[in-house]
């Protein structure tokens, strides 16, 4: 299995190498990068390119590692026992399988996305060490040893909100998605807007980089924000000359709120 991007996702050479190395080593691929550089989308495109099912586990601040394995619904079992429901005799009826269990029991190799792992408690990654390393865990309620039928392709994203434990990092293949160079960014724009006028693309990207390269802004606009901004330019029928006028200081940047997301940064840019 080799990943080289898709028609909808332009993957750099380094990113393709990282994905294929992680698959070869059968290690989780830990992806970091600026927000909006396509970290989450990568797992979807890997699944599409390799024609594999995708299981997505979105992590929140309240998420525990146990939820990825399974949860025992003791409350429902108690209620059913009071109602005389026969299903209480089988405790397995009250085991809610998590995304890891679902991926482990799949009849084929799947892609498992653990999205924004750094949102969870600092102990969360450590609590998954054995499961990610050995691809198995024990369900105490049923006495069942759950072992992966096929080792899933695991993609883990992080926005660097917290440092991840060394023991966890050791088990991963790491890649940082750098902001794309100008030519790659043009390819990405072309994927979303294949019929866009060349001069409008040039003027839009020139203004975009001018804004992004400002030293004093706190949140630099990302690839996804550029795509949104271009969509608004098309809807607003903004032409290349109008964007050139902005560069010359003759007018204000149209739809600036699509690129800059706080009042400090908007105050820095006209």
């Amino acid at each position: 299995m080799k990943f080289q991007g898709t028609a909808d996702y332009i993957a750099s050479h380094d990113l393709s190498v990282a994905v294929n190395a992680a698959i070869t080593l059968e290690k989780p691929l830990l992806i970091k990068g600026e927000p909006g550089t396509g970290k989450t989308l990568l797992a979807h495109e890997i699944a599409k390119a390799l024609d594999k099912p995708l299981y997505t586990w979105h992590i929140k601040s309240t998420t525990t590692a146990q939820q990825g394995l399974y949860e025992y619904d003791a409350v429902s079992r108690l209620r059913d026992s009071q109602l005389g429901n026969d299903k209480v005799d089988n405790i397995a009826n009250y085991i809610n399988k998590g995304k890891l269990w679902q991926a482990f029991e799949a009849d084929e190799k799947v892609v498992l996305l653990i999205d924004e792992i750094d949102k969870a408690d600092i102990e969360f990654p450590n609590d998954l060490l054995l499961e990610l390393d050995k691809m198995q865990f024990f369900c105490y309620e049923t006495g069942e040893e759950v072992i992966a039928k096929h080792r899933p392709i695991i993609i883990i994203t992080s926005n660097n909100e917290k440092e991840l434990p060394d023991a966890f990092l050791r088990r991963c293949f790491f890649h940082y998605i750098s902001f794309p160079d100008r030519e790659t960014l043009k390819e990405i724009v072309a994927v979303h807007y294949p019929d866009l006028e060349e001069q409008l693309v040039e003027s839009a990207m020139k203004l975009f980089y001018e804004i992004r390269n400002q030293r004093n802004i706190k949140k630099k606009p990302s690839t996804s924000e550029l795509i949104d901004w271009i969509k608004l330019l098309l809807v607003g029928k903004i032409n290349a000359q109008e964007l050139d006028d902005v560069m010359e200081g003759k007018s204000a940047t149209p739809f600036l709120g699509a690129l800059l997301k706080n009042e400090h940064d908007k105050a820095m840019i006209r």
Side-chain angles (χ1 to χ4, degrees):
M1 293 183 292
K2 292 292 183 182
F3 175 76
Q4 296 179 324
T6 68
D8 300 321
Y9 190 94
I10 304 299
S12 67
H13 173 72
D14 289 346
L15 178 56
S16 296
V17 168
V19 171
N20 293 316
I23 293 173
T24 300
L25 294 173
E26 295 189 320
K27 287 180 175 290
L29 175 61
L30 175 61
I31 293 289
K32 293 185 179 181
E34 292 181 27
T37 49
K39 298 187 297 297
T40 299
L41 184 59
L42 174 63
H44 292 261
E45 296 304 318
I46 292 173
K48 184 190 301 183
L50 303 182
D51 193 25
K52 299 296 180 185
L54 174 67
Y55 292 79
T56 302
W57 185 16
H58 294 293
I59 307 303
K60 301 179 182 179
S61 60
T62 55
T63 303
T64 65
Q66 183 62 37
Q67 291 171 329
L69 307 180
Y70 68 92
E71 291 184 283
Y72 169 48
D73 190 353
V75 174
S76 292
R77 192 180 188 204
L78 175 60
R79 183 185 64 245
D80 287 345
S81 67
Q82 293 170 339
L83 296 173
N85 194 321
D86 291 340
K87 67 183 291 188
V88 299
D89 295 331
N90 185 358
I91 196 171
N93 291 325
Y94 302 93
I95 299 296
N96 298 319
K97 298 176 181 179
K99 295 298 182 180
L100 264 73
W101 190 328
Q102 295 173 34
F104 284 7
E105 72 175 3
D107 291 328
E108 62 176 308
K109 184 182 285 289
V110 305
V111 177
L112 172 63
L113 169 62
I114 304 177
D115 198 25
E116 298 189 329
I117 193 171
D118 52 322
K119 284 194 180 315
D121 183 86
I122 188 63
E123 291 303 322
F124 178 91
N126 281 333
D127 291 341
L128 287 176
L129 289 181
L130 177 62
E131 290 76 14
L132 295 181
D133 200 21
K134 301 298 184 183
M135 288 291 140
Q136 64 185 70
F137 63 89
F138 188 73
C139 178
Y140 293 94
E141 286 76 9
T142 64
E144 178 182 1
E145 187 76 35
V146 180
I147 302 174
K149 294 180 181 179
H150 304 276
R151 195 176 186 96
I153 299 168
I154 301 177
I155 310 299
I156 303 173
T157 69
S158 170
N159 286 321
N160 243 357
E161 293 182 9
K162 294 190 187 79
E163 288 293 328
L164 299 174
D166 289 344
F168 176 80
L169 295 174
R170 184 176 64 80
R171 288 164 169 81
C172 298
F173 190 95
F174 171 74
H175 182 75
Y176 184 90
I177 299 182
S178 302
F179 191 79
D181 58 37
R182 193 180 189 90
E183 288 307 311
T184 303
L185 195 57
K186 284 183 69 173
E187 290 182 45
I188 294 172
V189 170
V191 165
H192 292 270
Y193 306 104
D195 301 321
L196 201 58
E197 179 188 329
E198 178 67 21
Q199 189 54 50
L200 179 59
V201 175
E202 290 296 331
S203 296
M205 289 188 59
K206 186 176 180 181
L207 180 52
F208 172 78
Y209 274 107
E210 178 72 16
I211 294 172
R212 182 175 165 83
N213 292 335
Q214 291 290 325
R215 292 184 178 181
N216 295 326
I217 60 175
K218 295 180 179 179
K219 165 66 174 69
K220 294 181 182 293
S222 67
T223 306
S224 63
E225 287 155 344
L226 172 62
I227 299 303
D228 289 344
W229 183 55
I230 290 177
K231 180 177 181 178
L232 291 174
L233 295 180
L234 293 174
V235 171
K237 301 188 185 309
I238 305 297
N239 58 42
Q241 183 57 55
E242 290 174 278
L243 296 181
D244 292 342
D245 288 344
V246 174
M247 290 291 295
E248 295 174 8
K250 297 178 181 179
S251 59
T253 305
F255 308 114
L256 185 57
L259 296 175
L260 302 179
K261 301 305 173 70
N262 63 68
E263 62 276 12
H264 172 273
D265 290 351
K266 290 189 72 174
M268 300 296 298
I269 305 295
R270 185 178 175 187

